[in-house]
Amino acid sequence: QVQLVESGGGLVQPGGSLRLSCVASGSILAVNVMAWYRQAPGKERELVVQTTTGNSTMYADSLKGRFAVSRDDARRALYLQMNSLKPEDTAVYFCQATVRTSRFGMSRVYWGQGTQVTVSS
């Protein structure tokens, strides 16, 4: 019932910037938590930043000051502005959302397909 589609990834030089977007579609009644995760080859998926409808955010400590998240509930979109990118930021970035699709149904966690971010000269 729900799809999350990420976009905006690509190749960028160290110190550069990228803006990722995630758009949710489908039969959505309410979106609670939305978050960005990333996963590098051979490593576990890690949380980048998590958001709630109350504008609460939680960033990974190492990314504070470089990454900024914004959320547009009307458009069912989540954005990630990434600045001062480093080679170690190279990973597949995934959008995650906790979504309720019916009035009294249970919330479910959905994942996007991921978008590749490569930071290299």
Side-chain angles (χ1 to χ4, degrees):
Q1 293 182 331
V2 177
Q3 288 185 312
L4 303 178
V5 179
E6 305 101 328
S7 62
L11 175 64
V12 64
Q13 294 184 348
S17 299
L18 284 174
R19 182 175 174 86
L20 306 183
S21 65
C22 169
V23 179
S25 62
S27 299
I28 299 174
L29 181 63
V31 179
N32 300 116
V33 177
M34 295 190 76
W36 286 101
Y37 286 76
R38 68 183 184 183
Q39 186 169 24
K43 297 184 178 180
E44 295 183 352
R45 189 169 300 184
E46 64 176 346
L47 176 68
V48 176
V49 61
Q50 185 178 43
T51 72
T52 69
T53 56
N55 294 324
S56 176
T57 62
M58 178 181 293
Y59 292 88
D61 288 339
S62 63
L63 302 179
K64 290 182 178 179
R66 296 196 299 118
F67 288 16
V69 69
S70 60
R71 178 169 169 171
D72 186 341
D73 288 332
R75 298 179 64 88
R76 295 172 177 171
L78 187 72
Y79 306 95
L80 183 66
Q81 180 67 46
M82 304 185 295
N83 300 318
S84 301
L85 285 163
K86 305 174 181 179
E88 50 264 45
D89 295 320
T90 296
V92 178
Y93 284 71
F94 296 91
C95 179
Q96 183 203 60
T98 302
V99 179
R100 179 164 292 174
T101 58
S102 64
R103 180 66 63 182
F104 302 106
M106 298 179 62
S107 295
R108 293 185 59 188
V109 176
Y110 294 86
W111 291 90
Q113 82 287 348
T115 183
Q116 177 71 48
V117 172
T118 302
V119 184
S120 176
S121 298

